[in-house]
Amino acid sequence: MVEDVPIQFFQSVVAIELAVTGALLFQVRYFSPREGTVREDVQLPSATLRLAIAIVLGATVFGSLLAMLHGGDRTAAAALLIGLAVSILPILLRVLPPLRRDLRTDEQGRYVLVTVVGVIVYVVLVAAAITLVEL
């Protein structure tokens, strides 16, 4: 018999996802108009990225609402944790030092190891959270 996850878990996911949505959409300038100079358009995210962001954010929020409506189980909770982790990943990558080479000197960044270790730790923490939800 699969036990239900408390409704507060799904409410928390919705609250966190709304905060992440505001930060992420502001960070990638999601609602910035495409009109303007060519230089400004290069800075804006592609339409494909905008669609992917909208799908992940919408699926996580509406999945939480659906799980609350139907008394979500542990599988739904794990899926929502994965969606939440994927939506936080762009913010994490923005905070960590970049992986790309410096265009002027063609040198690799000094703190590439920090970024790699940070992403690995993030993946391990998400996997641990999903494992704990599934127990």
Side-chain angles (χ1 to χ4, degrees), residues 1-10 67-77 133 135:
M1 180 172 118
V2 177
E3 296 179 23
D4 288 343
V5 177
I7 195 167
Q8 290 83 1
F9 174 82
F10 300 109
M68 283 190 277
L69 181 66
H70 294 293
D73 58 357
R74 295 182 186 277
T75 305
V133 166
L135 289 178

Short mmCIF file of all heavy atoms in Angstrom, two decimals, residues 1-10 67-77 133 135:
data_model
loop_
_atom_site.label_atom_id
_atom_site.label_comp_id
_atom_site.label_asym_id
_atom_site.label_seq_id
_atom_site.Cartn_x
_atom_site.Cartn_y
_atom_site.Cartn_z
N MET A 1 0.83 -1.18 0.00
CA MET A 1 0.00 0.00 0.00
C MET A 1 0.88 1.25 0.00
O MET A 1 1.77 1.41 0.81
CB MET A 1 -0.90 -0.02 1.24
CG MET A 1 -1.80 1.17 1.32
SD MET A 1 -2.96 0.97 2.66
CE MET A 1 -2.49 2.34 3.63
N VAL A 2 0.62 2.14 -0.92
CA VAL A 2 1.38 3.38 -1.03
C VAL A 2 0.73 4.43 -0.15
O VAL A 2 -0.47 4.68 -0.24
CB VAL A 2 1.42 3.86 -2.50
CG1 VAL A 2 2.13 5.18 -2.60
CG2 VAL A 2 2.07 2.82 -3.38
N GLU A 3 1.53 5.03 0.72
CA GLU A 3 1.00 6.07 1.59
C GLU A 3 0.96 7.40 0.85
O GLU A 3 1.82 7.68 0.01
CB GLU A 3 1.89 6.20 2.82
CG GLU A 3 1.91 4.98 3.69
CD GLU A 3 2.82 5.17 4.88
OE1 GLU A 3 3.08 6.31 5.26
OE2 GLU A 3 3.27 4.15 5.40
N ASP A 4 -0.04 8.19 1.20
CA ASP A 4 -0.13 9.52 0.60
C ASP A 4 0.89 10.46 1.22
O ASP A 4 1.23 10.34 2.38
CB ASP A 4 -1.54 10.10 0.80
CG ASP A 4 -2.57 9.40 -0.06
OD1 ASP A 4 -2.17 8.72 -1.02
OD2 ASP A 4 -3.77 9.54 0.23
N VAL A 5 1.34 11.39 0.40
CA VAL A 5 2.24 12.44 0.87
C VAL A 5 1.37 13.56 1.42
O VAL A 5 0.33 13.88 0.83
CB VAL A 5 3.12 12.93 -0.30
CG1 VAL A 5 4.01 14.07 0.14
CG2 VAL A 5 3.95 11.78 -0.87
N PRO A 6 1.76 14.17 2.53
CA PRO A 6 0.93 15.25 3.08
C PRO A 6 0.75 16.39 2.07
O PRO A 6 1.65 16.70 1.29
CB PRO A 6 1.73 15.73 4.29
CG PRO A 6 2.66 14.62 4.62
CD PRO A 6 2.92 13.89 3.35
N ILE A 7 -0.42 17.00 2.10
CA ILE A 7 -0.74 18.05 1.16
C ILE A 7 0.19 19.26 1.33
O ILE A 7 0.44 20.00 0.37
CB ILE A 7 -2.22 18.45 1.28
CG1 ILE A 7 -2.65 19.27 0.08
CG2 ILE A 7 -2.46 19.20 2.58
CD1 ILE A 7 -4.14 19.44 -0.03
N GLN A 8 0.76 19.42 2.52
CA GLN A 8 1.67 20.54 2.75
C GLN A 8 2.92 20.45 1.89
O GLN A 8 3.51 21.47 1.54
CB GLN A 8 2.07 20.62 4.24
CG GLN A 8 0.96 21.05 5.15
CD GLN A 8 0.05 19.89 5.56
OE1 GLN A 8 0.25 18.75 5.17
NE2 GLN A 8 -0.97 20.21 6.34
N PHE A 9 3.33 19.24 1.56
CA PHE A 9 4.47 19.07 0.67
C PHE A 9 4.19 19.71 -0.68
O PHE A 9 5.01 20.47 -1.21
CB PHE A 9 4.81 17.59 0.49
CG PHE A 9 5.89 17.35 -0.53
CD1 PHE A 9 7.22 17.47 -0.17
CD2 PHE A 9 5.57 17.02 -1.84
CE1 PHE A 9 8.22 17.27 -1.11
CE2 PHE A 9 6.56 16.81 -2.78
CZ PHE A 9 7.89 16.93 -2.41
N PHE A 10 3.03 19.43 -1.24
CA PHE A 10 2.67 19.97 -2.54
C PHE A 10 2.43 21.48 -2.48
O PHE A 10 2.76 22.20 -3.41
CB PHE A 10 1.45 19.24 -3.10
CG PHE A 10 1.70 17.76 -3.27
CD1 PHE A 10 1.08 16.85 -2.44
CD2 PHE A 10 2.57 17.29 -4.23
CE1 PHE A 10 1.31 15.49 -2.57
CE2 PHE A 10 2.81 15.93 -4.38
CZ PHE A 10 2.19 15.03 -3.54
N ALA A 67 -1.83 16.96 -7.87
CA ALA A 67 -1.52 16.01 -6.79
C ALA A 67 -2.28 16.36 -5.52
O ALA A 67 -2.73 15.48 -4.79
CB ALA A 67 -0.02 16.00 -6.52
N MET A 68 -2.45 17.66 -5.26
CA MET A 68 -3.25 18.07 -4.09
C MET A 68 -4.71 17.66 -4.26
O MET A 68 -5.36 17.23 -3.32
CB MET A 68 -3.18 19.59 -3.88
CG MET A 68 -1.89 20.05 -3.25
SD MET A 68 -1.95 21.77 -2.76
CE MET A 68 -1.57 22.59 -4.29
N LEU A 69 -5.21 17.77 -5.46
CA LEU A 69 -6.60 17.45 -5.73
C LEU A 69 -6.88 15.96 -5.57
O LEU A 69 -7.90 15.56 -5.02
CB LEU A 69 -6.98 17.90 -7.15
CG LEU A 69 -8.41 17.67 -7.59
CD1 LEU A 69 -9.36 18.53 -6.76
CD2 LEU A 69 -8.56 17.99 -9.06
N HIS A 70 -5.94 15.13 -6.03
CA HIS A 70 -6.16 13.69 -6.02
C HIS A 70 -5.40 12.96 -4.91
O HIS A 70 -5.30 11.74 -4.95
CB HIS A 70 -5.75 13.10 -7.37
CG HIS A 70 -6.61 13.56 -8.49
ND1 HIS A 70 -7.93 13.22 -8.60
CD2 HIS A 70 -6.34 14.37 -9.55
CE1 HIS A 70 -8.45 13.77 -9.68
NE2 HIS A 70 -7.50 14.49 -10.27
N GLY A 71 -4.88 13.67 -3.93
CA GLY A 71 -4.14 13.01 -2.85
C GLY A 71 -2.89 12.36 -3.38
O GLY A 71 -2.81 11.13 -3.45
N GLY A 72 -1.92 13.15 -3.74
CA GLY A 72 -0.71 12.67 -4.40
C GLY A 72 0.05 11.61 -3.64
O GLY A 72 0.07 11.59 -2.41
N ASP A 73 0.67 10.72 -4.38
CA ASP A 73 1.45 9.66 -3.79
C ASP A 73 2.94 10.01 -3.88
O ASP A 73 3.32 11.09 -4.29
CB ASP A 73 1.16 8.32 -4.47
CG ASP A 73 1.43 8.35 -5.97
OD1 ASP A 73 1.79 9.42 -6.49
OD2 ASP A 73 1.29 7.30 -6.60
N ARG A 74 3.77 9.07 -3.51
CA ARG A 74 5.22 9.31 -3.48
C ARG A 74 5.82 9.47 -4.87
O ARG A 74 6.78 10.21 -5.05
CB ARG A 74 5.90 8.20 -2.71
CG ARG A 74 5.49 8.18 -1.26
CD ARG A 74 6.21 7.10 -0.48
NE ARG A 74 5.71 7.01 0.87
CZ ARG A 74 6.10 7.78 1.86
NH1 ARG A 74 6.98 8.71 1.65
NH2 ARG A 74 5.61 7.63 3.07
N THR A 75 5.26 8.81 -5.85
CA THR A 75 5.76 8.95 -7.21
C THR A 75 5.52 10.36 -7.74
O THR A 75 6.40 10.95 -8.37
CB THR A 75 5.09 7.91 -8.14
OG1 THR A 75 5.28 6.61 -7.59
CG2 THR A 75 5.67 7.97 -9.53
N ALA A 76 4.35 10.90 -7.47
CA ALA A 76 4.06 12.27 -7.87
C ALA A 76 4.98 13.24 -7.15
O ALA A 76 5.47 14.21 -7.75
CB ALA A 76 2.60 12.61 -7.57
N ALA A 77 5.25 12.99 -5.88
CA ALA A 77 6.14 13.86 -5.11
C ALA A 77 7.56 13.82 -5.69
O ALA A 77 8.22 14.86 -5.81
CB ALA A 77 6.15 13.45 -3.65
N VAL A 133 12.06 10.83 -0.29
CA VAL A 133 10.61 10.90 -0.56
C VAL A 133 10.07 9.52 -0.93
O VAL A 133 8.96 9.17 -0.55
CB VAL A 133 10.32 11.92 -1.70
CG1 VAL A 133 8.92 11.76 -2.22
CG2 VAL A 133 10.54 13.33 -1.20
N LEU A 135 11.13 6.64 0.15
CA LEU A 135 11.20 5.65 1.24
C LEU A 135 9.89 5.51 1.97
O LEU A 135 9.13 6.33 2.20
CB LEU A 135 12.30 6.02 2.23
CG LEU A 135 13.72 5.83 1.71
CD1 LEU A 135 14.70 6.29 2.78
CD2 LEU A 135 14.00 4.39 1.36
#
